[in-house]
């Protein structure tokens, strides 16, 4: 076995061919990155998901799968859907605040004490 | 085979025991729900992820896995991480707008033409 096996081949205890699908995205110096996606999706599914997209998109596939796997392990019930829920609530909260402040500012301008300057928005 | 097999056992062409882990969360009338999580995680991994949490949390696990699988199939490069990115950008954009409008309103109050009413914020 080569000493430059990728993290996937190292963990699966197999030879790492030069055209290994995992090699560019799961380097041997970060075994946890592969370990996470392996645990959630299984190596074979990760390989399939990498293979079904263009080569220049595979880095992003590996990154987003790692992100999702990391949050699924951290939060086994909601995974990264929990983050989406929090972000939805946060956006909604800030939008409400914005609507309130905008209503207040509209009221001030309606009192015609200031000249409206739309470039300020 | 029972005619009330769950979507998982139906798709995997096997008997559906009364204590089947998939039965309550993957009903036979929604075969696509299981088909999506099966395609992304594999049935065995989905079963493991259901089994590792309390029974009352399993509905949420099934829902969030389905959500993630659905978006991974819809967007094979970013999956639901794409949604997180968009929501982060949206929140940031609304926060910037809010800061701008708040700065404007602060300026108006600094001109002392209005009495400041903090309860309005």
């Amino acid at each position: 076995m080569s000493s430059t096996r990728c993290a996937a081949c190292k963990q699966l205890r197999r030879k790492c061919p030069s055209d290994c699908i995992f090699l560019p995205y799961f380097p041997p110096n970060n075994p946890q990155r592969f370990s996470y996606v392996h645990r959630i999706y299984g190596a074979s599914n990760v390989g399939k998901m990498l293979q079904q997209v263009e080569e220049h998109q595979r880095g992003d596939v590996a990154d987003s799968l790692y992100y999702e796997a990391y949050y699924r392990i951290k939060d086994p019930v909601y995974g990264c859907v929990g983050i989406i829920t929090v972000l939805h609530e946060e956006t909604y909260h800030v939008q409400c605040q914005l609507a309130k402040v905008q209503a207040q500012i509209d009221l001030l301008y309606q009192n015609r004490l200031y000249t409206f300057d739309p470039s300020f928005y």
Side-chain angles (χ1 to χ4, degrees), chain A:
Chain A
M1 286 185 199
S2 157
S3 61
T4 55
R5 284 182 300 164
C6 72
C9 293
K10 218 167 169 181
Q11 196 165 324
L12 301 169
R13 295 172 188 278
R14 65 185 186 191
K15 277 189 184 174
C16 188
S18 58
D19 63 346
C20 171
I21 187 79
F22 300 107
L23 183 59
Y25 319 108
F26 295 97
N29 61 353
N30 192 354
Q32 206 174 45
R33 181 173 157 96
F34 178 73
S35 156
Y36 281 5
V37 297
H38 180 43
R39 194 166 141 193
I40 298 301
Y41 302 97
S44 154
N45 285 330
V46 174
K48 274 185 214 156
M49 289 190 269
L50 287 170
Q51 247 149 352
Q52 72 175 13
V53 302
E54 301 280 327
E55 204 175 330
H56 72 274
Q57 298 175 309
R58 288 180 189 159
D60 286 339
V61 171
D63 285 345
S64 64
L65 288 177
Y66 170 62
Y67 186 95
E68 286 182 39
Y70 173 83
Y71 280 102
R72 175 63 55 185
I73 288 163
K74 206 174 156 189
D75 177 354
V77 179
Y78 298 104
C80 75
V81 176
I83 297 172
I84 291 178
T85 308
V86 167
L87 280 171
H88 268 300
E89 283 166 5
E90 204 177 306
T91 308
Y92 175 75
H93 175 72
V94 183
Q95 273 166 342
C96 286
Q97 273 188 293
L98 182 62
K100 252 187 182 177
V101 179
Q102 267 171 343
Q104 187 181 14
I105 223 163
D106 288 349
L107 200 69
L108 294 177
Y109 282 122
Q110 271 167 29
N111 288 341
R112 294 173 190 282
L113 286 173
Y114 290 96
T115 311
F116 182 70
D117 174 16
S119 70
F120 209 23
Y121 279 84

